[in-house]
């Protein structure tokens, strides 16, 4: 019998995302990855087109799909307020807007700019909690700021208050922000400046040991200092950040798992090693954990471009919980928690994670451009993920959506932003009525 992981890898070599369908289960077998350069490094950027007439995504039975709003400017991260308002980052326009749903939640009745003049904003978080927030935190590419916020606010009542300085943009410029379950720490993700730090100067073993004593095992340096990391700030303190975890090339999105309080990350891995390397991933982020970048990946594999540079790190990289098809470009994840509501999903979805895959330029056959569901069992990841919303890739290889964000509305439906066309879609579930 062939393992699921092997099936996924074999299928990836022969098909593209046009054939994905809801219910397809994937498990990447990290013990049997292809060799580097088994295929050439491709340049195959997606061409985004408007949704063709009659084009519909593929969804599991019982689910429906509709347009929530259009004409946004590179919409990405979303955050749902207690009253049902949806705050959304319009990254290209440098603003955060408030989408107020119409009756029934099927569409936005209004869109109001909440804050403007921001520099490549991405992350959004309420504090001290999501039920009665007092502050809205926004992660720009170079800093975290906060605005006074009360539920129902549609415009900021004052100027942003700087909270934390971050390594400046360049390379991976998005920053995400979440708070620990107890509210005592603020986590911020900072992606690497480069693909694989090929130009980072070498250090002696003694210099490495001194550096890691201050910055954590596997911490990069030079213009990669405090990059490819998750940083932790003590709330209410002016102390500099602590390095929470290292070696995460581009942790685009952070999330706190409600069932366990664990910190999670959706990650874009490195390019240039072939169609099926290196798997992207979603994973729990462990304090003090090293996830491999730039010297290793998926635990034991050494990047051939840095071969022999860090033998001291062999065997020390953590294997991520949910490896994803290479070059899927995971951008955002959220945990599904709705147990009631007019559009709540079936009970078996509760506790699972939804991940949006933006799609990449570095694969000869297209992948990503879909939303998947990562399975949990008793609060722990199984390592499998399942196709949920597909059909955004056309048979000619063009795409009519680039999923970029996901958020759960108060009625249990999901919103999915598409930064390729400036659209937000809504996915809802309708229970079958009896005879």
């Amino acid at each position: 019998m062939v393992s699921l992981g092997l099936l996924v890898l074999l299928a990836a070599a022969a098909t593209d995302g046009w054939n994905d369908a809801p219910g397809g289960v994937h498990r990447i077998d990290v013990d049997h990855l292809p060799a580097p350069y088994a295929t050439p490094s491709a340049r195959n950027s997606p061409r985004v087109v408007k949704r063709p007439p009659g084009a519909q995504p593929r969804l599991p039975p019982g689910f429906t799909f509709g347009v929530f709003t259009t004409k946004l400017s590179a919409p990405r991260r979303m955050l749902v307020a207690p009253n049902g308002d949806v705050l959304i980052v319009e990254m290209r326009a440098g603003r955060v807007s408030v989408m107020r749903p119409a009756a029934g939640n099927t569409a936005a009745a209004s869109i109001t700019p909440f804050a403007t003049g921001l520099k490549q904003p991405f992350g959004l978080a309420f504090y001290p909690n999501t039920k009665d927030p007092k502050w809205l935190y926004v992660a720009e590419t170079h800093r975290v700021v906060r605005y006074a916020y009360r539920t129902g606010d549609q415009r900021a009542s004052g100027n942003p208050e700087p909270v934390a300085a971050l390594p400046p943009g360049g390379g991976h410029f998005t920053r995400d922000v979440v708070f620990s379950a107890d509210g005592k720490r603020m986590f911020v993700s900072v992606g690497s400046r480069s693909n694989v730090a090929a130009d980072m100067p070498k250090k002696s073993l003694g210099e490495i040991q001194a550096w890691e004593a201050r910055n954590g095992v596997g911490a990069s340096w030079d213009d990669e200092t405090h990059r490819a990391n998750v940083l932790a700030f003590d709330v209410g303190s002016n102390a500099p950040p602590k390095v929470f975890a290292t070696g995460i090339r581009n942790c685009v999105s952070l999330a706190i798992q409600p069932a366990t309080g664990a910190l999670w990350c959706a990650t874009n891995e490195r390019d240039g090693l072939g169609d099926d390397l290196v798997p992207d991933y979603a994973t729990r982020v462990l304090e003090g954990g090293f996830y491999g970048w730039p010297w290793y990946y998926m635990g034991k594999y050494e990047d051939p471009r840095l071969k022999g540079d860090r033998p001291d790190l062999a065997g020390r990289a953590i294997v991520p919980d949910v490896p994803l098809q290479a070059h899927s470009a995971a951008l955002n994840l959220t945990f599904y928690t709705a147990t009631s509501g007019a559009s709540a999903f079936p009970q078996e979805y509760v506790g699972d994670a939804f991940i949006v895959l933006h799609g990449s330029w570095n694969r000869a056959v297209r992948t990503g451009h879909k939303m998947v569901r990562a399975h949990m069992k008793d609060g722990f990841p199984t390592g499998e993920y399942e196709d949920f919303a597909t059909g955004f890739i056309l048979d000619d290889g063009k795409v009519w959506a680039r999923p970029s964000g996901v958020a759960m509305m108060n009625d249990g439906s999901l919103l999915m932003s598409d930064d390729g066309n400036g659209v937000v879609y809504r996915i809802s579930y309708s229970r079958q009525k009896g005879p």
Side-chain angles (χ1 to χ4, degrees):
M1 180 177 177
V2 180
S3 71
L4 271 175
L6 186 55
L7 283 172
V8 168
L9 292 175
L10 286 174
T15 65
D16 61 25
W18 185 72
N19 296 303
D20 290 338
V25 177
H26 306 260
R27 180 191 288 271
I28 304 296
D29 184 353
V30 298
D31 288 328
H32 297 90
L33 295 179
Y37 312 117
T39 60
S41 179
R43 182 166 290 277
N44 181 25
S45 298
R47 180 180 173 189
V48 182
V49 299
K50 290 184 178 180
R51 183 180 178 184
Q56 290 291 334
R58 301 166 185 154
L59 296 167
F63 289 88
T64 57
F65 184 88
V67 175
F68 190 75
T69 194
T70 62
K71 298 182 180 179
L72 296 172
S73 178
R76 285 202 169 184
R77 292 282 273 115
M78 294 175 284
L79 180 66
V80 180
N83 69 335
D85 284 349
V86 183
L87 288 87
I88 185 166
V89 166
E90 293 184 80
M91 195 170 59
R92 189 173 296 128
R95 66 175 171 249
V96 175
S97 297
V98 177
M99 302 187 296
R100 177 152 289 176
N105 288 326
T106 58
S110 64
I111 303 174
T112 306
F114 178 87
T116 60
L118 298 165
K119 186 175 182 179
Q120 295 174 313
F122 185 78
L124 299 172
F126 286 137
Y127 190 83
N129 55 61
T130 57
K131 294 182 179 180
D132 186 23
K134 302 295 189 294
W135 300 96
L136 172 68
Y137 283 68
V138 181
E140 299 178 81
T141 192
H142 63 304
R143 64 178 184 170
V144 178
V145 298
R146 69 178 186 177
Y147 296 87
Y149 178 85
R150 296 293 183 273
T151 300
D153 285 354
Q154 291 188 282
R155 295 187 186 275
S157 59
N159 293 325
E161 177 185 335
V163 174
L166 301 174
H172 301 115
F173 60 85
T174 59
R175 311 286 184 255
D176 205 2
V177 56
V178 297
F179 290 91
S180 59
D182 61 10
K184 294 182 179 180
R185 291 197 284 186
M186 179 178 74
F187 300 113
V188 180
S189 59
V190 182
S192 67
R193 179 176 287 274
S194 63
N195 180 42
V196 68
D199 296 326
M200 192 167 65
K202 312 301 182 188
K203 285 183 180 287
S204 68
L205 181 58
E207 290 172 330
I208 287 171
Q209 290 172 341
W211 178 260
E212 291 188 341
R214 300 190 302 271
N215 295 282
V217 172
S220 50
W221 53 83
D222 197 51
D223 62 0
E224 299 285 2
T225 298
H226 278 183
R227 302 197 61 153
N229 286 349
V230 174
L231 305 177
F233 297 79
D234 292 330
V235 174
S237 170
N238 292 323
K242 299 173 184 175
V243 176
F244 186 82
T246 60
I248 306 176
R249 176 180 177 265
N250 188 19
C251 174
V252 185
S253 176
L254 294 168
I256 298 294
Q257 185 177 9
T260 64
L263 178 67
W264 276 72
C265 175
T267 300
N268 287 189
E269 253 291 355
R270 69 205 76 186
D271 297 316
L273 294 181
D275 279 356
D276 295 315
L277 289 179
V278 169
D280 292 336
Y281 59 85
T283 192
R284 293 168 293 180
V285 182
L286 304 181
E287 186 163 11
F290 168 59
Y291 290 82
W293 188 90
W295 299 281
Y296 292 87
Y297 59 87
M298 293 291 120
K300 64 184 179 180
Y301 297 95
E302 187 176 26
D303 193 301
R305 295 163 291 194
L306 301 174
K307 187 172 180 61
D309 280 4
R310 292 297 304 273
D312 58 304
L313 291 175
R316 301 181 69 179
I318 295 171
V319 178
D321 290 312
V322 187
L324 304 165
Q325 171 63 59
H327 312 300
S328 293
L331 283 199
N332 192 200
L333 82 163
T334 193
F335 288 91
Y336 194 84
T337 59
T339 56
S340 62
S343 298
F345 293 7
Q347 177 64 32
E348 59 263 30
Y349 286 84
V350 175
D352 285 354
F354 283 94
I355 308 168
V356 291
L357 305 181
H358 194 235
S360 166
W361 60 272
N362 193 217
R363 197 163 189 275
V365 285
R366 200 162 308 291
T367 191
H369 303 278
K370 61 183 177 180
M371 185 189 299
V372 300
R373 169 190 175 196
H375 292 285
M376 305 290 154
K377 183 177 182 180
D378 300 325
F380 295 95
T382 66
E384 295 179 349
Y385 67 98
E386 178 181 343
D387 292 335
F388 177 74
T390 68
F392 303 111
I393 300 174
L394 301 174
D395 57 5
D396 60 3
K398 298 173 186 174
V399 300
W400 62 268
R402 297 203 75 184
S404 54
V406 58
M408 188 187 75
M409 296 186 74
N410 293 345
D411 67 355
S413 60
L414 287 181
L415 294 182
M416 186 192 83
S417 58
D418 162 18
D419 68 355
N421 284 305
V423 178
V424 174
Y425 300 104
R426 178 176 178 265
I427 299 173
S428 60
Y429 181 77
S430 297
R431 286 168 175 76
Q432 298 291 327
K433 297 181 179 179

